[in-house]
Amino acid sequence: MSTNTEYLFETERLGFRHWREDDAEVLFSMAKEKEVGSPCGWPAHKTIEESINVINNVFTNPENYAICLKETGEPIGTADLMFHYENKDECELGYWLGKPYWGQGIMPEACTLLLKRAFEDLNVSKVWCGYFKGNEKSKRVQEKLGFKYNRTDENVKVPLLNEVRTNVVNLMTKDDWKQLNK
């Protein structure tokens, strides 16, 4: 059983911390499932070494968090605030969750906390979030969070899968966040 002190922040069920190399086995157990990565645009992991590489080279953003079940202390997914826009007071919310944890309200709970972090702690004005057409789970998470439709981008290259997809882009402004959290 994990203690709360290791988490950077938490909800009633979830703790958030940075990924560690010793998480590779549990990451691999989730990321080897095609149904987890493919809707997000990345291929299933084939080896634990690949998962180690992702931890060391992809999950390096300071606002990338392992979402852990406090009950077990193990990571069950990830959530990320990515600052890759020209305007530095905007970010993108990204996330995925291991298949055994789908349908339990975990991702809306996790992302609500990250949105609070984005708007209150990091003082951003806008958070973008998108999903590839057909990813109904991600679409539903964004609806539950209160994101508003912004646009649809056709013919988006998904290089890790060598595909072209349609991406739906949603937006939440700081004013939207304040309205939702009165």
Side-chain angles (χ1 to χ4, degrees):
M1 191 86 113
S2 181
T3 63
N4 293 345
T5 56
E6 76 176 82
Y7 299 121
L8 299 167
F9 33 88
E10 58 191 80
T11 68
E12 189 175 317
R13 296 187 292 175
L14 308 173
F16 295 75
R17 63 170 173 78
H18 294 294
W19 286 89
R20 304 181 302 239
E21 207 170 278
D22 65 352
D23 294 324
E25 197 170 313
V26 73
L27 172 59
F28 176 69
S29 73
M30 294 179 290
K32 69 181 181 182
E33 301 288 336
K34 184 179 179 186
E35 300 90 347
V36 173
S38 181
C40 302
W42 47 269
H45 292 196
K46 292 178 179 57
T47 65
I48 290 177
E49 290 72 28
E50 185 176 356
S51 295
I52 290 170
N53 185 53
V54 167
I55 289 168
N56 290 330
N57 296 297
V58 178
F59 292 169
T60 56
N61 170 4
E63 294 299 325
N64 180 287
Y65 300 99
I67 302 167
C68 302
L69 271 185
K70 286 168 49 176
E71 186 179 299
T72 64
E74 283 197 350
I76 59 170
T78 197
D80 195 7
L81 295 171
M82 299 164 278
F83 289 84
H84 52 82
Y85 295 102
E86 234 175 78
N87 188 348
K88 294 299 177 198
D89 76 337
E90 298 179 16
C91 65
E92 179 181 0
L93 173 65
Y95 50 83
W96 64 263
L97 189 63
K99 196 173 173 184
Y101 308 99
W102 293 357
Q104 300 174 36
I106 289 171
M107 199 48 73
E109 181 180 333
C111 289
T112 295
L113 185 66
L114 271 196
L115 287 168
K116 182 177 195 265
R117 176 157 176 75
F119 290 118
E120 295 180 9
D121 300 340
L122 303 175
N123 200 30
V124 301
S125 64
K126 296 177 182 175
V127 176
W128 299 89
C129 197
Y131 62 90
F132 292 120
K133 201 161 190 147
N135 186 346
E136 293 300 312
K137 288 175 182 50
S138 195
K139 175 184 179 183
R140 188 71 191 117
V141 167
Q142 292 171 45
E143 289 170 351
K144 286 179 182 178
L145 293 169
F147 275 88
K148 295 179 181 174
Y149 174 81
N150 182 265
R151 69 180 187 278
T152 299
D153 295 332
E154 303 286 343
N155 301 313
V156 175
K157 290 182 180 176
V158 185
L160 295 176
L161 296 175
N162 199 25
E163 294 177 0
V164 174
R165 296 186 182 174
T166 299
N167 191 44
V168 178
V169 179
N170 295 311
L171 174 65
M172 183 181 291
T173 66
K174 192 170 203 166
D175 288 340
D176 295 336
W177 170 255
K178 287 178 183 176
Q179 262 323 101
L180 290 167
N181 292 282
K182 279 184 174 180

